Amino acid sequence: MTEKGAAEPLIRVSALSEGTVIDHLVAGTALKVLDILGIEFEGAVTIGMNLESRKMGQKDIIKIEHREVSPNEVAKIAVVSPRASFSIIRDFKVVEKFSPTPPKLIEGLIWCKNPSCISREDRVKSKFVVVRMDPLQIRCHYCERSQRKEEIELL
Amino acid sequence: MTAPAPDTDSFAGRDLISMRDYKRDELLAFLDEATFYEGYQEPLLKGKVLASLFFEPSTRTQLSFASAMQRLGGSTLGFSDAKLSSMAKGESLSDTIRVVESYCDIILIRHPREGAARLASESTSLPVINAGDGTNQHPSQTLLDLYTVRQTRGRLDNLKIAFIGDLKYSRTVHSLIETLTHFDNEIFLVSPQSLRTPPEFIEELDARGTVYTEDEDFFSIASDVDIIYTTRIQQERFPDPIEYEKVKNAYRIDREAIERVGADVTLMHPLPRLNEISTDLDDYPGAAYFDQAKNGVTVRKAILSLLLGASR
Ligand SMILES: [Zn+2]
């Protein structure tokens, strides 16, 4: 990473022995991301919000000790923050670093806001086509209604 | 940019769920093929069965498809009301489709919930035709509208087309406007403030670079239009009956109105009409609304044959 924003050294103070760093979150989404990950953590959780970022203007960052993320969680986080980057730390080293591939189809993660959409019936898994990534706009595969980022409700 | 026209065989086994699933050249191939079905009555679909599942009534659409099927020697079974179906007993739509699949060769579905036809198509390998899913799509209506536009004006581009009336809730209008963005036309959107075109359709017009104008007053914008497409303004959209009366009469098309916009205009309406088009226009040469109904059968003959892979 070439980014060396003024806020970076501060956040590096608490080096992780093992866990996950989720960086480049859209500013203001950190709490939503914690919500996606659930709130029962064993280790320390460090949250930085509205940090300066050369790339993004402002960003949020989360460090979670003793916790790795599942592919399903990554997909959900990509919906709220498409450009997030994930670093998996083991023994103080970054063993894996990745950004979620923007999905073309989001399955079973989002609730269709149209009350008369057939996907709201039992037994139907919701499906959304990604129309535009940034800012996120999605269209229900079933009822074909568009939803904007601010309207999206995660299941 | 002249891709070869799609072979009509390429439609065999496909579904007709949403106009979004069909590209411009496919639409044109469809319309070209449909012209051959004008008055065509050979038993092309002999032995084929259409299951016509109407979870809400729509007599006109159901009759039109049944007529198309019978004209081509096929037969139709089904129901015209959810109360008569096992859905009333709580069976899921997917289960109903899986059962019906063994009775027929092609499925036609009308359902009050948006997305129902898409879900039905995922529950069977048979071709599924959407005959209206809530406020979402009604593709055979859109195809017959396009067919009528081309039949009356001889082309699908370089036209000035005015849509009048309820542009907020009219599925017919939304679908036709969206499909017309494949072609180069100028669109006029005329409606009362409270029934304007929803922003997501306007955004789509912007994204596709379609030229359009929105207004409340038809006469202030629509001089020498080629087509006027009117829709019903339903009373239940207006909490205030006085407001409804005002609006209803403001968007009524009669002979005087036609003379003001120029005589060579095509008048379209999905029917049934209330009073949006005065009956004194029924013998006007540009009145195309009964042609739309007739073209409905022609286009539906083509839809059934193409999806069933029956070659003419
Ligand atoms: Zn939906």
Side-chain angles (χ1 to χ4, degrees):
Chain A
M1 292 282 21
T2 54
E3 190 178 25
K4 289 189 184 74
E8 294 287 308
L10 275 177
I11 209 86
R12 288 213 184 100
V13 166
S14 58
L16 271 182
S17 62
E18 57 166 18
T20 306
V21 179
I22 311 173
D23 199 354
H24 304 113
L25 291 166
V26 172
T29 60
L31 296 176
K32 185 91 198 164
V33 171
L34 282 183
D35 201 34
I36 292 168
L37 296 171
I39 42 162
E40 285 167 38
F41 299 113
E42 300 167 31
V45 178
T46 314
I47 304 170
M49 293 181 77
N50 301 332
L51 304 178
E52 264 177 55
S53 160
R54 208 183 281 169
K55 242 200 281 180
M56 307 173 66
Q58 281 194 321
K59 67 172 184 178
D60 287 3
I61 184 167
I62 301 175
K63 291 184 169 196
I64 314 158
E65 218 181 5
H66 308 306
R67 172 77 148 79
E68 296 188 1
V69 285
S70 70
N72 191 34
E73 288 166 338
V74 171
K76 284 192 188 186
I77 292 167
V79 171
V80 291
S81 200
R83 311 230 179 276
S85 65
F86 295 77
S87 303
I88 308 295
I89 318 279
R90 284 178 207 145
D91 199 17
F92 295 99
K93 286 195 196 85
V94 176
V95 293
E96 201 187 337
K97 182 158 184 148
F98 59 91
S99 290
T101 10
K104 287 195 175 70
L105 198 67
I106 301 169
E107 285 187 77
L109 292 181
I110 298 164
W111 181 243
C112 182
K113 66 167 179 161
N114 171 11
S116 82
C117 175
I118 197 82
S119 75
R120 308 249 310 224
E121 293 260 307
D122 286 347
R123 290 171 281 182
V124 178
K125 188 179 182 186
S126 83
K127 260 190 229 170
F128 285 85
V129 179
V130 177
V131 180
R132 189 180 56 208
M133 207 54 213
D134 214 1
L136 188 66
Q137 193 188 348
I138 56 176
R139 186 172 58 232
C140 177
H141 166 75
Y142 291 100
C143 73
E144 304 188 14
R145 293 280 171 82
S146 287
Q147 291 191 33
R148 289 154 190 283
K149 196 165 157 267
E150 56 276 14
E151 297 168 321
I152 291 171
E153 230 181 285
L154 293 172
L155 278 172
Chain B
M1 282 292 289
T2 47
D7 199 313
T8 50
D9 288 347
S10 69
F11 294 102
R14 279 181 74 176
D15 301 310
L16 181 62
I17 305 297
S18 165
M19 295 306 289
R20 292 180 196 279
D21 302 337
Y22 285 82
K23 298 189 204 70
R24 180 195 150 103
D25 56 343
E26 290 174 325
L27 294 175
L28 292 170
F30 224 119
L31 298 181
D32 286 344
E33 181 66 11
T35 58
F36 292 103
Y37 285 88
E38 198 102 35
Y40 186 88
Q41 294 210 35
E42 299 302 314
L44 196 62
L45 301 181
K46 192 167 190 291
K48 298 288 185 194
V49 177
L50 168 73
S52 164
L53 314 180
F54 277 54
F55 293 90
E56 69 178 7
S58 172
T59 314
R60 198 176 299 268
T61 306
Q62 199 163 22
L63 287 178
S64 180
F65 268 105
S67 167
M69 197 66 190
Q70 274 169 37
R71 294 271 193 223
L72 299 177
S75 55
T76 302
L77 51 82
F79 51 83
S80 53
D81 194 328
K83 280 187 243 104
L84 305 175
S85 84
S86 49
M87 283 294 273
K89 294 181 210 124
E91 187 181 49
S92 76
L93 177 60
S94 316
D95 282 3
T96 305
I97 299 298
R98 274 184 207 118
V99 171
V100 166
E101 175 179 56
S102 54
Y103 307 157
C104 62
D105 303 289
I106 186 164
I107 294 172
L108 175 67
I109 178 172
R110 169 102 171 190
H111 198 285
R113 298 189 80 148
E114 291 86 39
R118 180 76 68 191
L119 179 64
S121 74
E122 290 170 351
S123 312
T124 176
S125 56
L126 295 181
V128 173
I129 301 169
N130 183 5
D133 60 326
T135 58
N136 184 33
Q137 289 267 332
H138 187 2
S140 66
Q141 174 74 46
T142 309
L143 283 170
L144 79 85
D145 284 341
L146 281 182
Y147 186 86
T148 307
V149 168
R150 201 170 71 165
Q151 185 185 54
T152 53
R153 311 306 305 194
R155 60 184 194 272
L156 284 173
D157 44 22
N158 290 312
L159 293 167
K160 289 184 180 181
I161 307 173
F163 290 92
I164 304 181
D166 178 356
L167 305 187
K168 185 174 182 183
Y169 297 101
S170 173
R171 172 184 62 196
T172 309
V173 166
H174 296 164
S175 183
L176 185 55
I177 291 175
E178 261 188 323
T179 308
L180 283 168
T181 63
H182 288 300
F183 307 93
D184 196 13
N185 295 297
E186 190 176 349
I187 306 285
F188 299 90
L189 303 166
V190 186
S191 70
Q193 244 336 292
S194 60
L195 295 176
R196 284 175 66 176
T197 318
E200 62 176 283
F201 290 96
I202 295 294
E203 272 174 31
E204 207 149 331
L205 291 179
D206 286 330
R208 301 275 204 125
T210 299
V211 180
Y212 66 91
T213 315
E214 278 188 284
D215 208 298
E216 282 182 70
D217 178 14
F218 175 62
F219 294 108
S220 75
I221 60 170
S223 63
D224 56 73
V225 289
D226 300 298
I227 294 173
I228 298 174
Y229 197 114
T230 46
T231 60
R232 248 172 316 157
I233 294 182
Q234 285 162 307
Q235 188 163 7
E236 56 264 34
R237 307 290 184 208
F238 288 87
D240 179 358
I242 297 167
E243 193 55 31
Y244 170 69
E245 282 305 312
K246 268 197 280 181
V247 163
K248 182 179 89 171
N249 294 320
Y251 296 97
R252 186 179 144 88
I253 305 290
D254 56 17
R255 206 163 265 277
E256 197 192 321
I258 289 298
E259 275 155 19
R260 278 180 70 182
V261 295
D264 179 36
V265 60
T266 299
L267 274 177
M268 293 176 69
H269 190 295
L271 300 180
R273 66 178 155 183
L274 297 172
N275 76 332
E276 305 83 34
I277 297 183
S278 161
T279 50
D280 73 2
L281 282 170
D282 290 355
D283 58 357
Y284 163 72
Y289 32 94
F290 293 116
D291 297 326
Q292 281 168 274
K294 180 168 166 279
N295 291 338
V297 179
T298 301
V299 167
R300 285 167 180 134
K301 283 195 275 190
I303 291 170
L304 291 164
S305 306
L306 287 169
L307 302 187
L308 281 166
S311 54
R312 188 168 39 79

